[in-house]
Structures are given as structure tokens and as C-alpha cells.
Amino acid sequence: MEGDELGVAATMVDGDWQQQQRRRGGCIFNGNGKLLEELVLAAQEGVFVNVDSEFDLDNIVSAARIAGKKVNLLLRINPDVDPQVHPYVATGNKNSKFGIRNEKLQWFLHAVKAYPNELKLVGAHCHLGSTITKVDIFRDAAVLMVNYIDQIRAQGFKIDYLNIGGGLGIDYYHTGAVLPSPRDLIDTSCRVLLNLTKCQVTSILKPILYLEVRELVLSQDLNLIIEPGRSLIANTCCLVNRVTGVKTNGTKNFIVIDGSMAELIRPSLYDAYQHIELVSPSSPGAGISTFDVVGPVCESADFLGKDRELPTPVSGAGLVVHDAGAYCMSMASTYNLKMRPPEYWTNTLETTCPYSATLLRPMGLHPKPKWLLLVPSLHGCPTL
Ligand SMILES: Cc1ncc(COP(=O)(O)O)c(C=O)c1O
């Protein structure tokens, strides 16, 4: 990384992705269950491969032999850092299924050395989890990873890349919280004990310094890779639903909608919060109550939101679940014979969907380069 020199590439988790990405520039093939045939494809294409386990390394060696090409490797080290997120989206603590245990680092370095014709170790990687909102978590990980890279280099490997992953959260709660951006992740300061033989800092009287991650990486002559993930697109889409009816069981009130966990599974899967609003202004006199917003699917796990203060909607009203980018359509299923929702794209608020302009404006949504609307029912977007 030189000054502002930036590049863009894709992280892939299976061979199909590779097929799709192969003509679009550099890639990293990542995952804890990569198949041999996918690794052969990666070796043929010359993409970076993250090593996740002992068996993964064996498969990478086999793939390199089949492809007749040396594979560029990054070791995915599990730094055992708590990302302070739901356990289902934490990936870099010691109970995680991802990465190699840091105490096995030496074993992996010996193993890589044993295959000089098949493997070339070029970097180290970690990924702590998803929806992370505190930039200091990445900062601590960067410092830990630079220490591992020191250990790796001490064994004679020429390491050029540090991949500190990603998992940046977004303002899912719509509180106006200012969350770290990919740029903040690079600019954040960290307290480091510098290896003075390598750093470019002149004063030898200050072995402990506060550096930006950017400076730390540059001082170690590394290229930095980050994986901003959902933070790039999560707030560009919303799931537009129609209210089927309102009911109560005596203690709880429910708004029943046509959308469900089949279209958007995050709330059911890991209790994720997605912000919910009614499309139309509530009718005069509509009382505000606390509702669970639920779908028609035959599990009690089928909810989009719990305990939401909302005006009591009329049947047929529009209800929007925000921030459906990244993990709505990509995780949607046809469970309960529901159809996957049609997608409507728009450059402005005037869209190919005849109703969406009227739908979005009352919600105070700001135009973005692109909005994606997902509409669960056959009836199309709800009207005002
Ligand atoms: C290695 C890696 N990079 C990037 C991501 C994407 O993160 P996000 O959840 O923010 O989309 C993931 C998601 O699990 C991941 O495992």
C-alpha cells in the first residue's frame, strides 16, 4: 500500500463465486470447507487462498499439483479476539470453526516449508466477525496480526500482505449512530511496540508509539487488505411488505405481514434488529401500540421485529423492513412454498416499480445511487 493507492477485489467462499469473479480482477478464496475441485480452480486462476486447517492445507497442496501451479497462501490465524457481536456472527474467537489456532502457527510454517514447489506463503489473515461497531477491535487485531507476521518473517518467509478482514456494522437501529467506515478502520490509532530494526521511525528513544493502522502497515512494508462486507450496501435496499391484519393474544399484539423469515431470515436466525416503519402516514386516531411484526410461516421463529412501537395499521398498509441489502435476497428461500420476492431497482426515486416513488418519499428516505426493493407478495408494492 503506497499512500492512497487502493485496489478492489472479491472474497469468495466457493467455486461458483470464483467462476463469477474470475474475469473481474484479484480475488481471495476463503472458507473452512473448501472443496478440492474449487481449490484446483483457484490454483489455475492464481487467486490468493486462505489456509484454514490442516486438511485444507493438504487439499491446497493436492490442488497445486493437479493445476501444476504454485498457490499464493495467506494463513487465516484465529487471534481469539471478542468482537462483541452475536455469537453466531463471531468468527475470530477461540471457539470459532474458522482459522488455525494461533498456538499451531509453527506447525503450519513447517508444513508450508515442506512444499516449496506447491506453496508460497505471502500473507496472514484474520476475520473477527460481522456487524462490528467498534473500530478499536480491528485496531487490536491489527497489532496482534503484525506480531504474528513478525514471527512468520523470522522463519524466512517474505510476507507482503496483512488481511484484517472486516465485518463492519451499519446503523441497523437508525439512531443516527456514527459507525466506523472502512476508512476509519485504516486510520484508527494503535499503541504498538515497534520492531525498531524494521520500522521507518527515526527516534529510537520511543519504542512504544501511537500509529494509525495505515502507518503500522506501511512501517512493516505490508499491503493491507480489508473486507468491508455488508457496510458497502446493506442500507441500499429494503423489504416492502403488505399488512395482512392485526391481532392480539391478550398479552401480545401482532402485525401479520406477507413477508416472512423466508425472505429475510436475519431476525429469526440471530435475533438481528432490522428497523421497521409503516409506509403510509397512520390514519387519524390510530393508536400507537407495541407489536411483534410476524409473517405467515409456520414457526414462531417467523418474525421480522419484536416489541416495536408502531401506529396500528389497517389491512393492506405498506410496511417496510429497512437495511435489507447484503443478507436478504441472498439468504431467501422458498420455504412454505413462498416465492422469492421480485426485486425492483431504481436510480432515483422514480423506479421501474410504479408504486415505489410514492412509497419511499413519505418515509423520508434519501435518494441513493440505487435502491433495491424486495416485495414478498404477488400483489406488488403496497400503495398509499
Ligand atoms: C472472511 C470474511 N470476510 C468478510 C465477510 C463479510 O462480512 P459482513 O458480515 O460484514 O458482510 C465475512 C462474513 O462472514 C467473512 O467471513
Side-chain angles (χ1 to χ4, degrees):
M1 184 178 73
E2 284 243 341
D4 274 341
E5 203 178 290
L6 301 174
V8 68
T11 302
M12 301 159 309
V13 290
D14 64 30
D16 292 340
W17 272 72
Q18 284 187 60
Q19 299 279 17
Q20 288 180 28
Q21 285 295 335
R22 62 203 297 182
R23 283 177 210 90
R24 298 184 199 166
C27 297
I28 302 175
F29 188 23
N30 194 22
N32 64 321
K34 303 187 273 307
L35 303 177
L36 178 60
E37 55 269 33
E38 295 172 330
L39 287 165
V40 172
L41 188 57
Q44 285 164 347
E45 293 296 322
V47 305
F48 286 179
V49 177
N50 284 340
V51 182
D52 189 88
S53 64
E54 291 84 345
F55 78 79
D56 199 32
L57 192 69
D58 287 346
N59 283 340
I60 296 168
V61 171
S62 304
R65 288 179 179 159
I66 294 167
K69 286 198 176 167
K70 209 184 253 200
V71 177
N72 288 320
L73 297 181
L74 285 86
L75 278 181
R76 178 166 180 169
I77 300 172
N78 184 331
D80 192 15
V81 170
D82 177 8
Q84 298 171 32
V85 295
H86 190 281
Y88 288 8
V89 289
T91 53
N93 50 18
K94 77 169 183 253
N95 293 325
S96 163
K97 67 174 182 170
F98 299 103
I100 65 170
R101 284 180 292 148
N102 46 40
E103 61 268 28
K104 291 275 298 200
L105 180 59
Q106 288 306 320
W107 185 95
F108 277 93
L109 296 180
H110 286 133
V112 172
K113 271 189 185 159
Y115 299 101
N117 298 326
E118 290 84 2
L119 307 177
K120 182 176 178 206
L121 187 58
V122 297
H125 165 61
C126 71
H127 181 77
L128 305 177
S130 290
T131 68
I132 299 171
T133 52
K134 294 187 182 143
V135 80
D136 53 344
I137 292 171
F138 293 103
R139 182 196 60 196
D140 296 347
V143 175
L144 278 173
M145 292 302 290
V146 165
N147 285 335
Y148 289 128
I149 286 177
D150 272 347
Q151 292 175 38
I152 299 171
R153 283 176 165 167
Q155 306 249 336
F157 291 98
K158 186 178 171 325
I159 299 298
D160 294 324
Y161 295 93
L162 167 58
N163 179 351
I164 56 168
L168 284 173
I170 65 156
D171 183 17
Y172 275 116
Y173 286 87
H174 286 220
T175 57
V178 180
L179 298 184
S181 66
R183 169 71 67 175
D184 298 329
L185 203 150
I186 299 168
D187 287 346
T188 187
S189 296
C190 44
R191 187 169 176 267
V192 276
L193 183 57
L194 285 166
N195 177 345
L196 290 171
T197 57
K198 288 187 189 145
C199 81
Q200 297 163 342
V201 178
T202 46
S203 169
I204 57 166
L205 299 175
K206 288 184 182 170
I208 298 177
L209 294 176
Y210 286 89
L211 293 181
E212 287 179 357
V213 168
R214 171 201 304 277
E215 292 168 335
L216 173 64
V217 164
L218 285 172
S219 75
Q220 302 293 309
D221 205 15
L222 289 164
N223 297 291
L224 181 66
I225 300 172
I226 59 169
E227 300 179 4
R230 83 189 58 206
S231 64
L232 296 175
I233 57 154
N235 67 353
T236 60
C237 310
C238 50
L239 177 69
V240 184
N241 308 268
R242 189 187 292 273
V243 173
T244 309
V246 172
K247 65 183 276 189
T248 180
N249 64 9
T251 51
K252 236 179 191 322
N253 303 316
F254 300 93
I255 297 175
V256 184
I257 56 174
D258 55 358
S260 72
M261 65 189 265
E263 291 84 11
L264 179 50
I265 201 174
R266 292 185 71 248
S268 309
L269 194 58
Y270 30 71
D271 218 9
Y273 180 94
Q274 305 265 166
H275 197 61
I276 292 176
E277 278 181 288
L278 293 177
V279 170
S280 328
S282 46
S283 46
I288 296 194
S289 296
T290 305
F291 294 98
D292 282 5
V293 178
V294 301
V297 166
C298 58
E299 269 91 14
S300 294
D302 178 26
F303 64 90
L304 278 304
K306 294 230 160 167
D307 297 324
R308 303 300 171 89
E309 299 273 306
L310 289 167
T312 305
V314 294
S315 297
L319 179 146
V320 162
V321 182
H322 287 272
D323 306 317
Y327 294 99
C328 180
M329 194 58 157
S330 58
M331 297 175 101
S333 74
T334 54
Y335 182 52
N336 262 219
L337 288 182
K338 286 183 113 269
M339 289 168 66
R340 286 198 180 83
E343 297 173 298
Y344 296 90
W345 290 87
T346 173
N347 279 326
T348 64
L349 293 183
E350 311 303 330
T351 173
T352 49
C353 167
Y355 302 113
S356 62
T358 43
L359 181 79
L360 291 170
R361 278 203 188 97
M363 296 193 303
L365 295 176
H366 303 298
K368 295 255 173 171
K370 276 210 174 2
W371 278 95
L372 175 59
L373 309 172
L374 305 156
V375 183
S377 86
L378 290 174
H379 312 298
C381 295
T383 47
L384 288 172

